[in-house]
Amino acid sequence: MRDSILHPRRGGTNVPIREDLSASELRALARRESKGRVAARMFAIAHALDGVSRAEAARLAGMDRQALRDAVVRYNAEGVAGLHDRPLPGRPEWLSEGEQATLKAIILAGPDPKRHGCVEWTLPILCEVIAERFAKTLHPASLSRIVRRLNLSKQKTRPRHPQSDAKAQAAFKKGLREALKAAATAHPGCRLQLWFQDEARIGQKGRTAHRWWERGQRPAGLCDKRFTSAYLYAAVCPASGADFALVMPTVSTTAMSLFLDDFSRSLEPDVHAVLVLDQAGWHGARALGVPHNITLVPLPPYSPELNPVERVWLYLRERFLSHRLLDDYDAVVQACCDAWNALTATPERLRSLTSYPWLPCVNA
């Protein structure tokens, strides 16, 4: 380090400046710095390293002499990082960290309808809970900012059947990997692919979907009330984004056998498909014909959330099959084909919809 002519006050001692960066290097950093106050400190210290007097170095950088001395002290201690502005402490949080953690747990647990008079939290009701629990008052707008900082957002819930069994679902995820191993053992020399299958009824009796509209007003949407319909059978491979679909007039063992037969012929010769599907009656009927290159694996009862194809149906209805009037059965079939072709035109979209977080562990 070298001595500069920076004095904390008249008659004070010199303040040394570290010399790991030269004046020219500091100036180069200052030119690339986006924050003007930081760049000014770099230029001032560079002037001082060149031997310019304290007053002149501060004047050239547009600061007073004490600010320059403070910058040198921080630069000596922390290097260039010390020249950046320190974050202001600001006003302390109204809710402590522990209270915020408790609030998050309360929100995720949900309200008690009898006690709180609602089935889902609203900001005003949460403000009442906070006042009761922590003896602190909050405006809903302020609580909204706190809730967002807790990484919470209001989302549409995923339906869950009251008879679904969480233990059975967890066991299925583990058992699916064993089923893949068993299929690999039973079909040596074949490439194994994990597929999921489901059917959706699509028809004139449509539904409405979300749409952009003016705040405070509810938009109108076309919703047919007739009953002509068809069934879209689909199988998808989440790992590759591959797909296969057929439109059938009904759901039955015969229709399912036709679907499996066509799906079997669409597979490559060295591929064996492990096809996961729900326990609908036509999926497990004795008369169902299952081709040699397909192994069926049933889902646990009441567990549609384990089938990625369910998300595909939601996407198709929201994006392509709502707010429409379909004249007859042929129009329904054409709408099914158009919607599926529009989806599969971008395989990455299908892969994104069906890639559940637990599937890579099964395929590993």
Side-chain angles (χ1 to χ4, degrees):
M1 303 179 76
R2 60 176 287 185
D3 286 341
S4 76
I5 53 174
L6 299 176
H7 302 272
R9 62 184 65 85
R10 186 177 298 277
T13 57
N14 291 340
V15 179
I17 305 177
R18 60 192 294 172
E19 294 188 14
D20 48 340
L21 291 177
S22 66
S24 60
E25 290 173 324
L26 271 176
R27 288 191 178 93
L29 289 175
R31 294 187 188 98
R32 295 195 296 269
E33 177 59 49
S34 60
K35 298 181 179 178
R37 292 161 62 93
V38 179
R41 293 170 189 141
M42 293 181 182
F43 279 125
I45 295 175
H47 296 327
L49 286 173
D50 283 340
V52 177
S53 67
R54 176 183 68 165
E56 185 64 13
R59 186 190 68 79
L60 291 173
M63 64 179 65
D64 58 38
R65 290 176 292 179
Q66 184 61 43
L68 177 52
R69 180 185 180 276
D70 293 341
V72 169
V73 172
R74 287 163 55 178
Y75 177 68
N76 287 339
E78 305 174 37
V80 173
L83 299 180
H84 288 77
D85 292 330
R86 308 300 175 103
L88 298 176
R91 188 171 58 182
E93 290 276 2
W94 185 239
L95 295 180
S96 66
E97 290 187 7
E99 289 170 340
Q100 291 186 32
T102 303
L103 174 63
K104 184 173 183 177
I106 291 173
I107 294 174
L108 293 179
D112 180 353
K114 293 183 179 179
R115 179 183 175 188
H116 301 107
C118 64
V119 297
E120 188 51 62
W121 292 121
T122 64
L123 292 177
I125 294 177
L126 281 173
C127 288
E128 296 175 4
V129 172
I130 291 171
E132 178 186 348
R133 184 72 178 265
F134 308 126
K136 295 181 178 180
T137 58
L138 269 174
H139 190 276
S142 300
L143 178 57
S144 175
R145 290 190 289 269
I146 293 175
V147 169
R148 288 197 297 269
R149 286 201 298 271
L150 292 175
N151 197 31
L152 298 175
S153 63
K154 200 158 189 176
Q155 304 176 33
K156 188 174 181 180
T157 57
R158 177 182 297 174
R160 179 176 63 85
H161 197 283
Q163 297 183 37
S164 63
D165 188 343
K167 293 183 178 179
Q169 293 180 3
F172 166 78
K173 294 176 183 179
K174 296 180 181 179
L176 183 56
R177 188 171 186 177
E178 299 303 319
L180 288 170
K181 291 181 179 178
T185 302
H187 302 86
C190 291
R191 290 188 295 117
L192 231 59
Q193 288 184 353
L194 179 61
W195 290 69
F196 289 82
Q197 189 274 337
D198 197 24
E199 306 92 17
R201 177 186 174 276
I202 297 171
Q204 290 177 322
K205 189 171 177 59
R207 49 162 294 196
T208 57
H210 296 84
R211 65 177 300 184
W212 291 103
W213 202 250
E214 294 184 19
R215 187 183 296 273
Q217 300 180 19
R218 186 175 181 183
L222 287 174
C223 185
D224 202 345
K225 297 300 181 182
R226 293 172 293 174
F227 297 96
T228 300
S229 62
Y231 289 86
L232 180 56
Y233 288 63
V236 300
C237 178
S240 64
D243 69 278
F244 181 80
L246 287 179
V247 181
M248 299 280 197
T250 184
V251 286
S252 64
T253 303
T254 302
M256 187 64 189
S257 297
L258 290 173
F259 173 81
L260 290 178
D261 187 52
D262 288 353
F263 172 57
S264 170
R265 289 198 295 269
S266 73
L267 297 173
E268 296 180 9
D270 62 336
V271 168
H272 186 87
V274 175
L275 188 64
V276 180
L277 66 180
D278 60 34
Q279 297 190 36
W282 55 90
H283 290 165
R286 293 183 179 180
L288 181 66
V290 181
H292 66 91
N293 58 346
I294 299 176
T295 296
L296 302 184
V297 177
L299 285 164
Y302 313 110
S303 301
E305 61 268 28
L306 294 180
N307 193 341
V309 186
E310 295 286 350
R311 291 186 66 187
V312 175
W313 303 144
L314 180 63
Y315 178 84
L316 290 179
R317 290 190 170 104
E318 192 76 18
R319 186 63 64 88
F320 304 110
L321 298 172
S322 298
H323 300 156
R324 300 186 62 178
L325 294 178
L326 303 173
D327 295 333
D328 50 24
Y329 178 79
D330 291 338
V332 172
V333 172
Q334 189 61 47
C336 292
C337 296
D338 292 343
W340 189 262
N341 291 335
L343 169 63
T344 56
T346 54
E348 190 59 38
R349 170 68 67 181
L350 188 61
R351 191 181 301 114
S352 173
L353 288 170
T354 58
S355 295
Y356 280 10
W358 54 273
L359 285 178
C361 299
V362 172
N363 282 321

